[in-house]
């Protein structure tokens, strides 16, 4: 891409002072410190980047953290190129022209920006399954974004209408969440046509939020998927409700009672 040189230039200050202790702590918490490169890739916690010197080997970096630093440290010109570069990556992956892993973190970034900048009408989401007679919010505006690090949510205040995003990828099956009118909205951002929900991540979030809000807290689980035709297939049209599974992959026989509905939010591709 035309913006590649600018992206590489912006990357240097984002990683040169990256503290090894922070990376080590994250990998230890995720149980990946002794894992192989393949295990890192399957966990979708890394961003693959060509090494400048060899132009062949790949660097493995805990990407949500680095992505945030990258955008914070970029100057105005680099920021413009970063956004353009990201849009091309996401559009290519959405069409099936690129592996989704190379654009996953860029998709998340675009989705989070979109949710903060736009007025959202969640009632227009496609309903994959419904368990309670409640309707999602319309005319919703996020007040801003709040990042957190603690896996037990001790640094989360659960304030209404703020988008909460982990600095590290610590939540199973949840990339971000927000609260509105006492209801939790859990977001899973994905290119995948099938993305089973790991129950442990949902339970952990619900327990933490219930202690601060209500024991009867309910939630929507929302899949945010690029609205594109991939290899001739309409991904949005054919999307189905996803099963809940254990951390080891075993499928649960019933849906959590607290789930109001599974929704699909078709994310507009930005080109």
């Amino acid at each position: 891409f035309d913006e590649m040189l600018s992206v590489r230039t912006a990357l240097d200050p984002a990683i040169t002072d990256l503290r090894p202790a922070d990376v080590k702590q994250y990998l230890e918490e995720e149980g990946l410190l002794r894992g192989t490169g393949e295990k890192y890739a399957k966990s979708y916690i890394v961003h693959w980047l060509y090494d400048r010197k060899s132009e062949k080997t790949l660097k493995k970096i805990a990407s949500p953290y680095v992505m945030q630093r990258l955008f914070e440290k970029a100057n105005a010109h680099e920021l413009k190129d970063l956004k353009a570069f990201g849009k091309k990556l996401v559009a290519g992956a959405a069409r099936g022209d690129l592996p989704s892993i190379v654009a996953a973190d860029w998709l998340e970034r675009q989705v989070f920006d979109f949710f903060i900048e736009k007025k959202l009408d969640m009632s227009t989401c496609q309903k994959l399954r419904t368990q309670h007679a409640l309707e999602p919010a319309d005319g919703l505006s996020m007040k801003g974004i709040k990042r957190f690090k603690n896996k037990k949510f001790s640094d989360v205040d659960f304030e209404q209408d703020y988008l909460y995003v982990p600095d590290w990828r610590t939540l199973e099956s949840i990339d971000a969440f927000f609260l509105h009118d006492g209801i939790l909205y859990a977001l899973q951002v994905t290119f995948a046509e099938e993305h089973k929900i790991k129950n442990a991540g949902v339970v952990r979030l619900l327990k933490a939020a219930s202690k601060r809000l209500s024991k009867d807290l309910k939630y929507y689980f929302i899949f945010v998927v690029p609205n594109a035709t991939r290899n001739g297939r309409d991904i949005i049209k054919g999307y189905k409700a996803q099963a809940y599974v254990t951390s080891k992959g075993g499928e649960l026989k019933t849906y959590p009672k607290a789930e109001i509905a599974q929704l699909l939010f078709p994310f507009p591709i930005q080109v």
Side-chain angles (χ1 to χ4, degrees), residues 163-268:
L163 186 67
Y164 288 89
V165 179
D167 266 346
W168 298 106
R169 192 161 296 180
T170 55
L171 300 181
E172 292 179 287
S173 287
I174 299 174
D175 294 316
F177 65 88
F178 63 89
L179 286 149
H180 181 73
D181 286 343
I183 294 176
L184 185 69
Y185 291 72
L187 307 180
Q188 172 64 66
V189 182
T190 182
F191 286 102
E193 298 176 54
E194 181 180 358
H195 200 300
K196 294 181 179 180
I197 305 168
K198 290 186 178 179
N199 191 52
V202 176
V203 170
R204 193 159 65 242
L205 174 58
L206 271 179
K207 282 184 177 180
S210 295
K211 288 179 181 179
R212 302 285 293 274
L213 302 169
S214 167
K215 293 181 180 179
D216 298 321
L217 183 68
K218 289 181 171 54
Y219 70 94
Y220 288 100
F221 198 97
I222 304 173
F223 291 95
V224 183
V225 181
N227 192 2
T229 300
R230 187 178 310 160
N231 301 322
R233 301 190 311 279
D234 187 337
I235 304 302
I236 299 298
K237 186 177 180 179
Y239 219 87
K240 298 179 181 180
Q242 302 296 307
Y244 280 77
V245 297
T246 66
S247 296
K248 293 184 179 180
E251 190 168 315
L252 301 185
K253 294 181 179 180
T254 59
Y255 288 98
K257 292 181 180 180
E259 184 198 80
I260 299 170
Q262 281 186 36
L263 306 175
L264 176 64
F265 184 91
F267 180 67

Side-chain angles (χ1 to χ4, degrees), residues 23-36 39-40 43 45 151 169-170:
V23 178
K24 182 180 179 182
Q25 179 182 353
Y26 170 61
L27 295 178
E28 284 177 340
E29 288 178 353
E30 296 298 318
L32 296 170
L33 192 58
R34 297 181 181 179
T36 63
K39 185 173 182 181
Y40 291 155
S43 300
I45 64 163
K151 207 168 185 177
R169 192 161 296 180
T170 55

Side-chain angles (χ1 to χ4, degrees), residues 1-241:
F1 296 130
D2 296 336
E3 300 85 6
M4 182 61 77
L5 179 59
S6 183
V7 172
R8 287 178 170 174
T9 302
L11 179 66
D12 280 345
I15 64 175
T16 50
D17 61 345
L18 186 63
R19 297 197 309 168
D22 288 342
V23 178
K24 182 180 179 182
Q25 179 182 353
Y26 170 61
L27 295 178
E28 284 177 340
E29 288 178 353
E30 296 298 318
L32 296 170
L33 192 58
R34 297 181 181 179
T36 63
E38 288 76 20
K39 185 173 182 181
Y40 291 155
K42 289 178 182 177
S43 300
Y44 286 79
I45 64 163
V46 297
H47 191 62
W48 300 92
L49 295 162
Y50 284 105
D51 186 272
R52 273 189 173 190
K53 295 180 181 178
S54 67
E55 292 294 337
K56 294 181 180 179
T57 57
L58 291 165
K59 292 181 179 179
K60 299 186 292 293
I61 302 171
S63 53
Y65 185 67
V66 172
M67 180 70 75
Q68 180 65 15
R69 291 167 61 91
L70 182 61
F71 275 81
E72 286 175 351
K73 292 177 177 290
N75 60 40
H77 174 72
E78 292 169 343
L79 191 60
K80 182 180 178 180
D81 280 351
L82 281 172
K83 290 182 176 181
F85 174 76
K87 289 176 182 179
K88 290 179 181 179
L89 272 184
V90 168
R95 293 191 302 265
D97 299 335
L98 296 170
S100 60
I101 191 172
V102 304
D105 297 297
W106 297 89
L107 173 61
E108 284 186 12
R109 178 79 195 196
Q110 287 182 26
V111 168
F112 298 157
D113 286 347
F114 183 88
F115 269 59
I116 294 300
E117 296 168 2
K118 305 292 184 180
K119 195 169 186 178
L120 304 172
D121 184 358
M122 306 307 292
S123 65
T124 62
C125 289
Q126 179 177 322
K127 293 181 181 179
L128 304 177
R129 68 174 300 274
T130 302
Q131 189 161 283
H132 297 281
L134 294 174
E135 290 297 325
D138 60 357
L140 175 63
S141 296
M142 293 284 105
K143 296 178 181 177
I145 188 168
K146 291 190 176 186
R147 297 186 175 274
F148 63 97
K149 295 182 179 180
N150 191 278
K151 207 168 185 177
K152 295 182 179 180
F153 306 98
S154 63
D155 53 348
V156 175
D157 56 7
F158 293 102
E159 189 173 352
Q160 296 272 333
D161 298 336
Y162 276 92
L163 186 67
Y164 288 89
V165 179
D167 266 346
W168 298 106
R169 192 161 296 180
T170 55
L171 300 181
E172 292 179 287
S173 287
I174 299 174
D175 294 316
F177 65 88
F178 63 89
L179 286 149
H180 181 73
D181 286 343
I183 294 176
L184 185 69
Y185 291 72
L187 307 180
Q188 172 64 66
V189 182
T190 182
F191 286 102
E193 298 176 54
E194 181 180 358
H195 200 300
K196 294 181 179 180
I197 305 168
K198 290 186 178 179
N199 191 52
V202 176
V203 170
R204 193 159 65 242
L205 174 58
L206 271 179
K207 282 184 177 180
S210 295
K211 288 179 181 179
R212 302 285 293 274
L213 302 169
S214 167
K215 293 181 180 179
D216 298 321
L217 183 68
K218 289 181 171 54
Y219 70 94
Y220 288 100
F221 198 97
I222 304 173
F223 291 95
V224 183
V225 181
N227 192 2
T229 300
R230 187 178 310 160
N231 301 322
R233 301 190 311 279
D234 187 337
I235 304 302
I236 299 298
K237 186 177 180 179
Y239 219 87
K240 298 179 181 180

